[in-house]
Amino acid sequence: MIRVPLPLGLGSFVALVLLADSLAAQPRQQPARPASPAPVRLEIAMEPGLDLGDAHEWARAYGDRGIDVRLRAMKATDDARIENAGNEQRPSWVVIGILTRRNRLQVPGRTFTIAQGADAKEWLDQLAANGPDAIVGERLAFGLTPAQLIALHDDLATPVEFPTIGIASRTLVERLSETIATPLAFDPAAASALDDAVICEDELQGLTVGTALAAAVRPGGLVLTVRRDEAGSVSLAIVESRRAEEFWPIGWPIEKPPGAVAPVLSDKIKVDIKAFRLGQAIEAIRAKCGLAMLIDRNGLAEQGIELDEVRVSYTHPDAPYGAILSKLLGQTEPPLKYEIRMDERETPFLWIAPR
């Protein structure tokens, strides 16, 4: 099987790690949204010296787009802002826009020309449907608002409830996507990379869909990324790694000591391994300690390492699982290592990759 090298994407990964910290600290409850779009009024505050004829042209042009527009003189305290003239349960949004002498309308986070009435209407419709955070809120990874990112994280925390070893990766991605609410699509260039010859070789059952999707597409040189369109809708995409500036990682770094996250690795057993295939030894340890183990098969292929061609040995009367695994992984050339990661439900697993 041909495996495509993947970039580390460290900057994106660090950003996502920082995001994981914030997700862990934030409540999972979604902000309340109105059952139907809230009313929105655009108040255009005219800068002193602006030609009144120009201002009325704005009112006509934007009014023809179905926008509720009011014109008034600018006050000394005016700035571009959004106010709620209703209440939290039944909002009524008032957008204060500043019409400058340069004939530009400044609203929070955007500037429109008179010819951009359609864009302004779409922006105001987003406000009506989803509130201010959807249009001017803080943006985190993938350009999402905090609420969108939390919702996506929770969706991708859906557990994988079926065995995955031996399933064609393309079929696996399709089955996983059916278990979540967020739409998923392949980029055209990525679709051909996961042909029927690319088979899932790791057991992902019991982990989360986010981690499973990211792991399932990696052997094809692909990554899972997130998109937010102009209307604010969030979707997932499978793309070639070189085309992704940000991508969803295969698990998250642990914050607690390893012994607190995966205490089973400290359990001791008698071990007598003599000339076992490394793949066979890894599977035996996985079966005994119960931790999922995902293997960076792209990284191994780059180094020319085939697990079933490497013979390993280790004998000890009372060794911890973690030490046994480290000793065995260190017998490849170059050596391998394991890293404890967590999926979106904070379930620990081991990521095995070249050092």
Side-chain angles (χ1 to χ4, degrees):
M1 182 188 303
I2 297 174
R3 303 193 187 276
V4 183
L6 293 179
L8 291 178
L10 183 58
S12 297
F13 187 77
V14 169
L16 286 169
V17 170
L18 294 175
L19 168 62
D21 292 341
S22 68
L23 285 172
Q26 295 185 53
R28 289 291 193 258
Q29 184 175 358
Q30 293 296 310
R33 290 183 179 177
S36 58
V40 176
R41 182 174 79 248
L42 174 61
E43 282 194 9
I44 297 180
M46 301 174 290
E47 279 191 342
L50 182 72
D51 185 273
L52 287 178
D54 289 342
H56 285 290
E57 284 297 321
W58 276 85
R60 280 193 291 271
Y62 276 37
D64 288 345
R65 294 287 184 178
I67 298 173
D68 182 3
V69 186
R70 311 286 173 85
L71 287 175
R72 64 171 176 80
M74 183 176 176
K75 303 173 185 176
T77 57
D78 271 337
D79 58 5
R81 64 187 186 275
I82 299 173
E83 298 177 343
N84 185 1
N87 54 49
E88 186 175 350
Q89 289 72 35
R90 303 184 69 177
S92 178
W93 305 112
V94 178
V95 178
I96 310 299
I98 307 301
L99 186 55
T100 70
R101 287 185 292 272
R102 298 180 60 192
N103 213 30
R104 297 288 187 272
L105 180 64
Q106 296 177 347
V107 295
R110 291 289 299 271
T111 298
F112 295 108
T113 67
I114 193 170
Q116 291 178 305
D119 293 337
K121 179 65 165 60
E122 182 178 322
W123 186 82
L124 293 167
D125 286 346
Q126 274 295 304
L127 170 62
N130 300 308
D133 278 351
I135 54 174
V136 296
E138 178 189 4
R139 293 289 187 264
L140 299 176
F142 308 107
L144 304 186
T145 66
Q148 287 175 323
L149 200 47
I150 290 172
L152 176 63
H153 182 274
D154 286 350
D155 194 21
L156 292 177
T158 301
V160 179
E161 297 182 341
F162 56 89
T164 62
I165 289 181
I167 299 178
S169 295
R170 177 66 181 265
T171 301
L172 176 58
V173 169
E174 292 170 352
R175 289 186 62 181
L176 291 172
S177 69
E178 293 171 355
T179 67
I180 58 175
T182 308
L184 181 147
F186 279 85
D187 266 10
S192 60
L194 285 187
D195 57 27
D196 292 340
V198 183
I199 302 296
C200 179
E201 300 180 66
D202 294 320
E203 184 52 76
L204 304 172
Q205 185 177 21
L207 295 176
T208 54
V209 170
T211 293
L213 281 171
V217 301
R218 182 174 170 85
L222 309 176
V223 292
L224 175 68
T225 191
V226 183
R227 290 174 174 168
R228 182 181 185 273
D229 63 22
E230 292 182 356
S233 299
V234 177
S235 62
L236 297 168
I238 306 298
V239 303
E240 292 178 310
S241 61
R242 65 177 182 270
R243 298 181 183 275
E245 294 182 1
E246 293 180 291
F247 53 87
W248 201 265
I250 303 173
W252 305 84
I254 61 173
E255 297 177 348
K256 299 177 182 178
V261 176
V264 68
L265 292 177
S266 299
D267 291 352
K268 296 180 178 181
I269 61 168
K270 179 181 179 180
V271 58
D272 186 19
I273 296 174
K274 295 179 180 178
F276 276 37
R277 292 184 177 89
L278 179 54
Q280 178 186 7
I282 291 173
E283 174 56 27
I285 295 172
R286 185 203 65 78
K288 283 186 172 292
C289 73
L291 281 176
M293 297 186 185
L294 308 188
I295 298 171
D296 181 8
R297 300 182 191 277
N298 276 79
L300 269 63
E302 288 179 47
Q303 301 296 333
I305 299 173
E306 289 286 346
L307 295 181
D308 287 337
E309 293 181 1
V310 177
R311 296 282 180 167
V312 294
S313 300
Y314 182 58
T315 300
H316 196 282
D318 194 30
Y321 283 117
I324 297 169
L325 188 57
S326 292
K327 289 288 187 181
L328 299 178
L329 295 177
Q331 295 177 39
T332 62
E333 184 56 46
L336 304 178
K337 65 175 182 178
Y338 75 82
E339 174 188 345
I340 305 174
R341 295 186 181 182
M342 296 190 303
D343 68 7
E344 287 74 20
R345 292 172 65 91
E346 299 188 357
T347 301
F349 66 92
L350 301 187
W351 175 247
I352 296 174
R355 288 182 186 173

